[in-house]
């Protein structure tokens, strides 16, 4: 099983994101001057804060006692205090885990942190409150920072496709096999993190370390709750049942958004980068898919992603064009004739040799390999 991308993370040397990091820095360096301390509970580190230089340090959402806070401010540190009564931490130093977003699922999805954050978003979006929009921006920036740290040095393949693809269908099983094959080939699978095709690809990556029949059994178990409509609770419970039965799945990334409230994150992505701003999320997902993107049949959202990805490839604004593989000839030439337009755009440019249309999902990994050189 490949190493977790977390093992490749070398974050900014001046960022402290855990209590262990904090203790190690204080004992090794004897100073916190100029450091960034992010979402670490320092209520039991008053002595250290009172006796260590914190000039020009920045404390982002770190609970600390009043005397410690007064002293670090007097040193010239900036203190962004924790914000009470929020259903999320805007300063968080790490991506979400499925268990964290779905905590309290036994009481129903409406009680989970994921649902509560969405409800807060809907409420504050309607108010147009500048403080709330600032908190959303700080949160999304923290998520991007954590995502970059996690993926440093990883070869990431994006898998795009619609949320409407139901569990129990052949299309879902095919998308899952694709995720499994990419994960076994050493790629980190990244999806939009929602249901349907996105869930299937994350499930496939999760299944990579197991024998082939595990994925078939998992798909059968999931088929009893084919969609997140009408009940997100039942849909999510079925996924956690699979995770409990096979607990040692491989990692993958889900990058969902609270912008679409009807779309919960899927629990098969081991790391979830959930955003409030959909534009930041879309661009971030495509920009980080450095080893290419596979586009499964989808509707408006997937069409948008194809051209969001084609544009930087056309202008080479992110460097060399990355591979783009569209799956299902009939879908992309007749139902939604995106392929002819993509071909016309690519003609006589360096991206021309980096695009492909394949009939079947099974052909996608070989096409990616071919285009990636």
């Amino acid at each position: 099983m490949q190493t977790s991308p977390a093992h490749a993370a070398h974050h900014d040397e001046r960022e402290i994101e855990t209590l262990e990091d904090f203790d190690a820095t204080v004992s090794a360096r004897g100073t916190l001057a100029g450091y960034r301390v992010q979402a670490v509970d320092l209520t039991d580190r008053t002595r250290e804060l009172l006796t260590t230089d914190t000039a020009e340090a920045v404390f982002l959402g770190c609970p600390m006692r009043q005397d410690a806070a007064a002293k670090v401010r007097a040193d010239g540190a900036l203190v962004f205090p924790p914000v009470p009564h929020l259903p999320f931490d805007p300063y968080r130093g790490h991506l979400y885990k499925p268990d964290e977003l779905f905590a309290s699922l036994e009481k129903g999805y409406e009680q989970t942190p994921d649902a509560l954050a969405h409800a807060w978003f809907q409420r504050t979006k309607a108010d147009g409150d500048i403080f709330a929009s600032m908190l959303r921006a700080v949160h999304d920036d923290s998520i991007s920072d954590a995502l970059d740290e996690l993926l440093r040095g990883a070869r990431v393949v994006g898998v795009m496709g619609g949320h409407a693809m139901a569990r129990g269908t052949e299309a879902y099983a095919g998308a899952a096999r694709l995720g499994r094959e990419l994960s076994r080939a050493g790629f980190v699978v990244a999806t939009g993190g929602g249901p349907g095709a996105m869930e299937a690809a994350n499930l496939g990556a999760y299944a990579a370390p197991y024998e082939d029949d595990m994925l078939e059994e998992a798909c059968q178990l999931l088929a009893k709750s084919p969609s997140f409509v009408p009940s997100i609770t039942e849909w999510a419970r079925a996924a956690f049942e699979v995770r409990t039965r096979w607990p040692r799945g491989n990692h993958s990334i889900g990058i969902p958004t609270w912008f679409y409230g009807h779309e919960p994150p899927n629990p098969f992505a081991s790391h979830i980068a959930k955003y409030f701003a959909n534009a930041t999320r879309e661009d971030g997902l495509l920009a980080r898919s450095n080893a290419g993107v596979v586009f499964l049949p989808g509707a408006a959202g997937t069409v948008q992603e194809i051209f969001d990805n084609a544009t930087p490839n056309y202008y080479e604004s992110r460097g060399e064009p990355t591979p783009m593989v569209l799956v299902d000839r009939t879908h992309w030439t007749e139902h939604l004739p995106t392929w002819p337009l993509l071909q016309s755009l690519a003609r006589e440019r360096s991206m021309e040799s980096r695009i492909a249309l394949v009939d079947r999902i099974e052909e996608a990994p070989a096409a990616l390999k071919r285009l990636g050189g």
Side-chain angles (χ1 to χ4, degrees), residues 40-95:
V40 180
D41 188 342
L42 300 175
T43 40
D44 292 336
R45 293 295 183 275
T46 304
R47 188 172 54 82
E48 289 78 357
L49 290 169
L50 291 175
T51 55
T52 307
D53 181 16
T54 56
E56 293 184 12
V58 179
F59 293 88
L60 296 161
C62 300
M64 58 179 83
R65 300 199 192 281
Q66 266 179 330
D67 50 344
K71 182 265 179 188
V72 302
R73 282 197 180 98
D75 278 356
L78 268 178
V79 179
F80 291 77
V83 182
H85 314 305
L86 273 186
F88 62 95
D89 177 1
Y91 309 108
R92 57 180 303 121
H94 303 278
L95 298 183

Side-chain angles (χ1 to χ4, degrees), residues 310 313-314 316 320-324 339-340 342-357 370-371:
N313 282 344
Y314 180 90
E316 298 190 41
E320 283 268 299
T322 49
M324 296 176 68
W339 175 250
L342 186 62
Q343 265 189 314
S344 305
L345 266 180
R347 196 160 292 128
E348 293 175 15
R349 297 186 82 87
S350 56
M351 71 181 276
E352 189 169 22
S353 61
R354 297 290 173 92
I355 63 170
L357 174 66
R370 191 171 72 243
L371 301 179

Side-chain angles (χ1 to χ4, degrees), residues 156-175:
V156 182
V157 172
V159 179
M160 311 293 157
H163 66 249
M165 186 187 282
R167 293 166 170 177
T169 60
E170 184 41 49
Y172 184 96

Side-chain angles (χ1 to χ4, degrees), residues 9 18 42 44 46 121 129 135 142 157 161 172 195 212 217 220 249 263 281-282 284 313 315 357 362:
T18 64
L42 300 175
D44 292 336
T46 304
F121 181 26
D129 176 8
L135 291 172
S142 300
V157 172
Y172 184 96
D212 286 1
E217 282 184 61
Q220 281 168 6
E263 219 173 83
R281 166 247 190 176
E282 289 278 6
N313 282 344
Y315 290 113
L357 174 66
E362 287 71 24

